[in-house]
Amino acid sequence: MSSIPLQPGALGTPNEQARENYLNIKHTVASWLLTKDHKRIAVLYGLSISIMFFLGGLAAAGIRVALVRPHDTFFSSEAYNKLFSAHGIIMVFFFLVPSIPATLGNFLLPIMIGARDLAFPRLNLLSWYIYIIGALITLGAIATGGIDTGWTFYVPYSSVYSNTDVVAVIVGVFFAGFASIFTGINFLVTVHKMRAPGMTWFRMPLFVWAMYATSIVMVLGTPVVAITLLLVVLERVFGVCIFNPACGGDPILFEHLFWFYSHPAVYIMILPSMGVISEVITCFSRKRVFGYEFVAFSSMAIALLGFFVWGHHMFVTGESMYGGMVFSIITFLIAVPSAIKVFNWSATMYKGNVWLSAPLLYAIGFIFLFTIGGLTGLYLASLAVDVHLNMTYFVVAHFHYVMVGGAIFGYMAGMHFWWPKITGRMYPEGWAKLACIIMFVGFNLTFFPQFILGFLGMPRRYHFYPPEYQMWNILSSAGASVLAVGFAIPFFYWMWSLKYGELAGPNPWGAKGLEWAIPSPPPSHNFDSVPIVTEEAYAYEEIYARELAGDYSDSQVDRPVSPLNTEQPDQKTLEDHSSTEESL
Amino acid sequence: MASVPHDDHGHGGHGNHHIPKVSTYLANYVFLMVMLVLTFAVAQVDLGALNIVVAVLISVIKTSAVVLIFMGVKYNSRLTWFWASVGFIWLFALFLTLGDYVTRQWVHLPIGW
Amino acid sequence: MSSAQLEVAPQRLAHQFEDIDQQNECYIVGMWTFLVTEIMFFGALFLALTVYRSVYPNSFFEAHLALNKWLGLLNTFILLTSSFFVAMGVRAKMLGQNSATQFWLGLTILCAFGFLGVKYVEYSAEFREHHFPGPNFHFVATQPPGGDLSANSQVASGQPNISSRDFPAGYHPQQLELHKRQLFFSLYFVMTGLHGLHVIIGILVLGSIWFLIRYKHPSVDDYMTLELAGLYWHFVDIVWIFLYPLVYLIGRQ
């Protein structure tokens, strides 16, 4: 991609670690807490969201413990309500929304487009501080009494009846919203104005496209939920009357405004993952992404179309029937760009020289789980079916397949793919694959039974259930334990790799992209000289041809050559490969 | 290896930002005042449902005057034009909510509104 | 003074940018992106206003009569004027004329305080008359309450004769009418209150820039600081441009 020469085969040497990079340039606490370097802020965000993920996971563990028995006595019902609310609020607002954009996006976006930093480094740091303030307020409120409204804060329960600390939690979420708005503004301006010479829109990596689309959703959606939640606070504190039906207000209006953000927020969570998957799949297939423009535009289509489907959350809550029909149709439409992506990823792998590394394993897991999550979304988008499935565990299973199976698998794929770049060390490949498989099995064991539970009619958010549902709930809880093990393993081997991992060279995977053209970990200023981009993204043809000829020197870590890879390609395959783009 | 030499940091420069004339600002201000009087005058006439349409229309004209001249979007790049219009355009998406309220009454329901 | 001869005062370049033009445009586009979020923020409130106004047209008309449209007019005038002043201030700063900048900025801040003063007069009258929503809300209608119920065909379509037995206990037509007016005042206070909060933030921002220029602080050497603050202030004005006719000048339906 860039014309900066790589050093093929040059594995990192101890000298490499002595070189000045963003990690070792200064070691004081202040140098971290006052940093304006996008890479350090990414690390700060990464640590923070990991803690939030752990706390949200603890709450989920509580839920699964409670649901093992039909009449749980371990938690009171009030405590159970607070558990699932805490789980939802922490995971949605403090983990999933900032997850990939604030960590991988922050780290990679400027490097991928050849910039020295984001357009507004101070705003970037401010975003992290606001996020931390919001997280502390919310966690404080949850620790000192909790909230029982669920993460959706539906009125009038949240504004009038709930006795819990709704105000503090909403204030915390409000702060987190501003953190994500600031990230969005920063990314948008950076992508527009900070691209290196030659980095045209259609040479940008698809991850950058995904970040751009995500930022649009953040900027256009978040303020609406901010004002909506603020109105709930004002109703509680000052007794003004906006949504309360007891004084003529319309609670459905709250749902409209809430979902105007919160449905697009789903795309804030999944679009970055899709960007990661595009990068990972193309690298480990040694092929250009099939239909680059289609994948790029489908990101934009998802982001924009995603704003017109919010009403599908309200099919049974009193929305107009005609509104329901329109929202149902548009919801079906949005499946099209998502399907385009899935087809294009599969087509990219087809006839590729596939290297089944851990990141790719996660990416393939993503495709499986996201496809299931997406298709079950269509069940819910059908008006009549939704009457039966709404507010049941079917919905819970559906959005966990998208959020956990999609967003988190994408996050894991990205973290493994760029771990050598971020830390300068390799993670242990075998353990990573094992963790991926455990996660995949545990995930399906946890959430597939919930589809069945939902279909049988078990409502979500209920503490007690009839005994005939117990078997499925036990399966689900057992799966959750497996899933927890799966999530714990990376924590340990990542820590281990920081000290003992093999040193990674600048480009362990033989990947294309500006981020792989600079040392690992990158220096503070990213590039010694402004790169000039002369190629489109993902020009893997040469590497592909070399590898098929048996020369695997492009990847700096040992690439296992599977029997599949040793098969000599005929001339036709090579031609097919290089003409994929044109034949589109 | 093609690359652009690094600029020395911290140096300054002159942007080529357009500076409008004072008379442009004054004219715009007078125009806004006329529009303000019009806003008030129209509201005193009973036009039925048209009142709100006219009121919003005048507000849009006033906003355009502020955005284009005072906020300088007229003199700025296409990118600024783009982002200056995005927010106003996207309000339409939000206001699609009204579709729900309009169509809710198409179905006769015994209770609710 | 012809614009061709005017030259912008020199600026400092931050490390992440290549040249001044890129830096300026980043700042302006960034500010506009932030204003997009502000537009959506207030947009949701205007949506709520539109929804309730279309559902309770007559109650909203009745309730809005209690507002002082002359004071609203005065405030619109003040804000539009301040918008002109701040534009002049930014222009002076661009040309590097610091004392002129301070003059225009001072006038702008004066206008902002004037706006808040008028708002204070309005609010205190409304609090005196118990127009603030809540248990003490009270509204003396200019015509007998309940007029809305007979006239509001949208709500009562197909149910021509509404009597109190159609409502749950405690929700008599009079009570309901009071609620609808309270709804109007809820929106009025929330919208003008949040707008007022933006005015206060504007005063703080413009005021600190005034002081920084006064003491020749290097952070305001660049006119961009004031330019961005100016954009924000114009936005506050734009919100009021819509607020005034839609809240103070509601027409009879």
Side-chain angles (χ1 to χ4, degrees), chain A residues 215-231:
Chain A
S215 306
I216 289 180
V217 183
M218 285 174 164
V219 164
L220 292 177
T222 317
V224 177
V225 81
I227 181 66
T228 313
L229 295 181
L230 195 65
L231 288 176

Side-chain angles (χ1 to χ4, degrees), chain A residues 323-339:
Chain A
M325 288 177 188
V326 173
F327 281 123
S328 172
I329 292 169
I330 305 178
T331 308
F332 274 98
L333 280 183
I334 205 166
V336 175
S338 316

Side-chain angles (χ1 to χ4, degrees), chain A residues 3 5 116 188 192-193 212 220 249-250 252-253 256-257 260 304 307-308 310 318-320 322-323 527-530 532, chain B residues 1-7 9 79 82-83 86-87 90 92-97 99-101 103-107 113:
Chain A
S3 42
R116 278 189 287 271
L188 287 175
H192 272 293
K193 294 299 299 174
Y212 184 77
L220 292 177
D250 182 17
I252 310 290
L253 182 63
H256 273 298
L257 294 173
F260 183 82
L304 298 183
F307 271 102
F308 299 94
W310 77 86
E319 180 191 39
S320 129
Y322 300 96
F527 299 96
D528 291 330
S529 53
V530 179
I532 291 181
Chain B
M1 171 167 145
S3 63
V4 181
H6 225 269
D7 270 346
H9 294 169
L79 186 61
F82 176 72
W83 280 105
V86 160
W90 212 246
F92 283 103
L94 185 59
F95 273 70
L96 287 182
T97 303
D100 174 26
Y101 289 88
T103 55
R104 244 187 245 176
Q105 276 131 23
W106 292 1
V107 189
W113 55 279

Side-chain angles (χ1 to χ4, degrees), chain A residues 14-214:
Chain A
N15 265 347
E16 182 105 350
Q17 286 294 300
R19 184 183 49 78
E20 194 173 82
N21 60 46
Y22 82 100
L23 286 170
N24 65 12
I25 188 163
K26 262 185 189 170
H27 291 288
T28 59
V29 175
S31 75
W32 278 92
L33 293 183
L34 299 176
T35 183
K36 278 171 243 148
D37 185 342
H38 64 102
K39 299 180 286 297
R40 284 197 161 197
I41 295 170
V43 173
L44 290 176
Y45 250 123
L47 293 175
S48 327
I49 65 162
S50 303
I51 294 169
M52 295 312 273
F53 180 67
F54 177 71
L55 294 175
L58 273 188
I63 297 170
R64 284 326 312 174
V65 168
L67 290 177
V68 168
R69 284 179 299 167
H71 282 269
D72 169 57
T73 49
F74 199 80
F75 295 105
S76 67
S77 292
E78 288 77 16
Y80 178 80
N81 291 348
K82 288 174 180 178
L83 271 179
F84 73 69
S85 304
H87 171 67
I89 289 165
I90 292 176
M91 286 300 201
V92 169
F93 295 110
F94 295 96
F95 175 72
L96 283 168
V97 168
S99 62
I100 295 183
T103 56
L104 293 174
N106 237 337
F107 195 97
L108 294 165
L109 184 110
I111 305 181
M112 279 181 161
I113 60 172
R116 278 189 287 271
D117 204 323
L118 288 168
F120 312 117
R122 272 184 296 181
L123 189 68
N124 198 15
L125 182 65
L126 181 66
S127 156
W128 181 70
Y129 273 103
I130 289 181
Y131 169 84
I132 290 294
I133 293 171
L136 288 179
I137 295 175
T138 302
L139 288 180
I142 287 173
T144 58
I147 175 174
D148 64 354
T149 61
W151 77 277
T152 47
F153 305 108
Y154 270 16
V155 291
Y157 185 69
S158 65
S159 63
V160 181
Y161 300 106
S162 172
N163 296 320
T164 53
D165 203 354
V166 180
V167 173
V169 172
I170 285 184
V171 169
V173 170
F174 192 84
F175 273 96
F178 268 90
S180 106
I181 284 177
F182 289 158
T183 305
I185 291 175
N186 229 332
F187 284 5
L188 287 175
V189 176
T190 306
V191 172
H192 272 293
K193 294 299 299 174
M194 308 287 279
R195 281 171 287 130
M199 178 59 85
T200 58
W201 283 87
F202 290 102
R203 283 180 184 167
M204 290 197 313
L206 287 165
F207 182 71
V208 178
W209 272 101
M211 281 299 134
Y212 184 77
T214 308

Side-chain angles (χ1 to χ4, degrees), chain A residues 561-578:
Chain A
V561 181
S562 70
L564 272 174
N565 299 114
T566 53
E567 193 180 312
Q568 282 299 315
D570 48 20
Q571 195 56 36
K572 177 120 187 4
T573 312
L574 279 172
E575 275 165 15
D576 277 359
H577 179 78
S578 54

Side-chain angles (χ1 to χ4, degrees), chain C residues 132-150:
Chain C
F132 189 79
N136 293 325
F137 180 78
H138 182 66
F139 191 91
V140 182
T142 49
Q143 66 181 50
D148 198 30
L149 287 169
S150 50

